[in-house]
């Protein structure tokens, strides 16, 4: 059955070529789809970033409004209103950050190099070595990621 | 050369099948690549949003720090420091928004329904019909997009 191989190769070559043309066509179409998908994905990625930013930036506008009201109170020397305004702005911004997954890093315990940055080590009576003594700058996490480590003073 | 077609079809069929197997293999690999790309793109889209948000949220931390310092000044009844602190916070937040492409919508002219929202129409002497008389709430754009229209009072 596999004999006489040399004298009629043309038929199979033509057959093969036709099938290759069909297969090439499917490949080309799939490759074109793939390419279009890549372009769309890159465009969408940019749009997602813009939209994500836009949502957050929009949430900041009322905070800016409240700040401007507080500043007006300051110009009118309405100290109580200024102070109340600042409290309001602080609550708004803190809750915006919390809503967006930002959490304060705990500092009531041992120094943890994953989330703390030691600015200073000090001798401290009745505290164990490695205890966090003081927080110079609060730290924050976003999910598992450390957005900013807490800057602390540690007992040596 | 294209004669004797019937009696040895097996060879060409096998040839064709082999080529189809090769082509199918390329198609399958391309389809698998495409599929992986889609999954990765979806994952990256989410990561981009998280990262975009993270950058912005991180920029907000110093604003929160300054607010807390201002609140401490308020608690210590250091009014001048409180006021200066609020000014600082306002400058920081306004410049953060500007850096991220947020612009105040102009209101010094005619009412423009694309960027303004009329809350009230009032008769106004020596002002033309459609002039913006007063701004109740500032509006903001992000590039070409209106993040929040300016809420205004218009001359009727």
């Amino acid at each position: 059955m596999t004999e006489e191989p040399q004298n009629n190769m043309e038929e199979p070559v033509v057959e093969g070529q036709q099938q290759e043309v069909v297969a090439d066509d499917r490949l080309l179409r799939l490759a074109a789809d793939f390419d279009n998908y890549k372009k769309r994905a890159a465009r969408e990625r940019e749009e997602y970033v813009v939209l994500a930013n836009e949502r957050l930036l929009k949430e900041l506008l009322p905070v800016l409004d409240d700040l401007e009201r507080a500043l007006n109170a300051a110009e009118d020397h309405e100290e109580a209103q200024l102070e109340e305004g600042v409290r309001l702005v602080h609550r708004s911004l803190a809750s915006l950050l919390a809503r967006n997954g930002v959490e304060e890093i705990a500092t009531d315990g041992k120094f943890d190099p994953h989330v703390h940055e030691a600015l200073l080590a000090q001798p401290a009576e009745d505290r164990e070595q490695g205890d966090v003594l003081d927080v110079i700058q609060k730290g924050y996490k976003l999910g598992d990621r450390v957005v900013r480590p807490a800057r602390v003073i540690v007992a040596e």
Side-chain angles (χ1 to χ4, degrees), chain A:
Chain A
M1 288 182 183
T2 50
E3 297 95 306
E4 49 199 297
Q6 240 50 36
N7 53 347
N8 62 339
M9 277 302 285
E10 244 168 5
E11 179 83 290
V13 167
V14 169
E15 267 258 327
Q17 277 176 342
Q18 274 173 342
Q19 281 183 316
E20 207 159 63
V21 165
V22 171
D24 274 1
D25 192 46
R26 282 156 70 198
L27 262 170
L28 283 176
R29 260 183 295 140
L30 187 59
D33 283 350
F34 196 174
D35 202 46
N36 283 332
Y37 186 90
K38 280 185 189 166
K39 283 180 194 149
R40 202 178 64 229
R43 210 163 49 231
E44 278 181 359
R45 219 159 24 222
E46 280 172 38
E47 282 169 11
Y48 267 69
V49 172
V50 170
L51 285 178
N53 278 341
E54 182 175 342
R55 188 188 55 76
L56 251 180
L57 293 168
K58 191 172 182 170
E59 285 191 64
L60 283 170
L61 297 181
V63 181
L64 193 68
D65 292 339
D66 288 340
L67 264 172
E68 286 174 359
R69 263 190 289 273
L71 279 182
N72 288 339
E75 263 159 38
D76 298 345
H77 301 288
E78 292 165 339
E79 309 297 357
Q81 242 182 297
L82 166 62
E83 193 175 328
E84 188 41 42
V86 177
R87 273 180 219 294
L88 179 70
V89 171
H90 179 258
R91 266 199 306 274
S92 309
L93 188 57
S95 91
L96 180 151
L97 289 167
R99 262 199 320 281
N100 284 282
V102 177
E103 280 177 287
E104 204 177 309
I105 289 170
T107 47
D108 52 350
K110 288 280 174 201
F111 174 75
D112 176 355
H114 297 103
V115 293
H116 299 149
E117 189 184 315
L119 291 188
L120 206 64
Q122 276 180 348
E125 289 179 25
D126 58 281
R127 296 297 291 274
E128 283 177 44
Q129 197 191 4
D131 277 357
V132 171
L133 295 179
D134 205 359
V135 182
I136 303 301
Q137 189 183 48
K138 286 182 184 175
Y140 293 91
K141 285 187 300 178
L142 181 62
D144 291 336
R145 306 163 71 94
V146 175
V147 182
R148 186 174 82 182
R151 301 203 160 92
V152 298
I153 299 179
V154 185
E156 67 177 9

